[in-house]
Amino acid sequence: GHELPAHLKGHGIQGTDKLRFSCKWNSCGVELNRENVVRHVKEKHLVINYACDICNQTFTRKYNLFTHCKKCH
């Protein structure tokens, strides 16, 4: 996952953060800003999840796991 931004750059996904892209992964077609491409691929295509060590609840974003742990545990 940490090498994904460099990998996507190799596919020509570069430019300003607000540059619009259409996701080509398996004909996904979702329109998004370049700044959201990495998050979209991780969440929707690679299905990378972060699990709470205490209650095993899973989150698609590391920040949401952090907020959960801070609030609930």
Side-chain angles (χ1 to χ4, degrees), residues 18-53:
K18 301 300 178 195
L19 189 63
R20 299 291 289 171
F21 283 94
S22 177
C23 180
K24 305 290 189 223
W25 190 300
N26 291 333
S27 303
C28 174
V30 169
E31 290 276 329
L32 56 153
N33 291 343
R34 188 197 66 80
E35 65 188 344
N36 298 323
V37 171
V38 171
R39 184 177 69 212
H40 168 76
V41 169
K42 283 182 176 181
E43 291 178 6
K44 303 299 180 192
H45 302 295
L46 298 179
V47 192
I48 295 174
N49 291 310
Y50 303 93
C52 176
D53 292 335

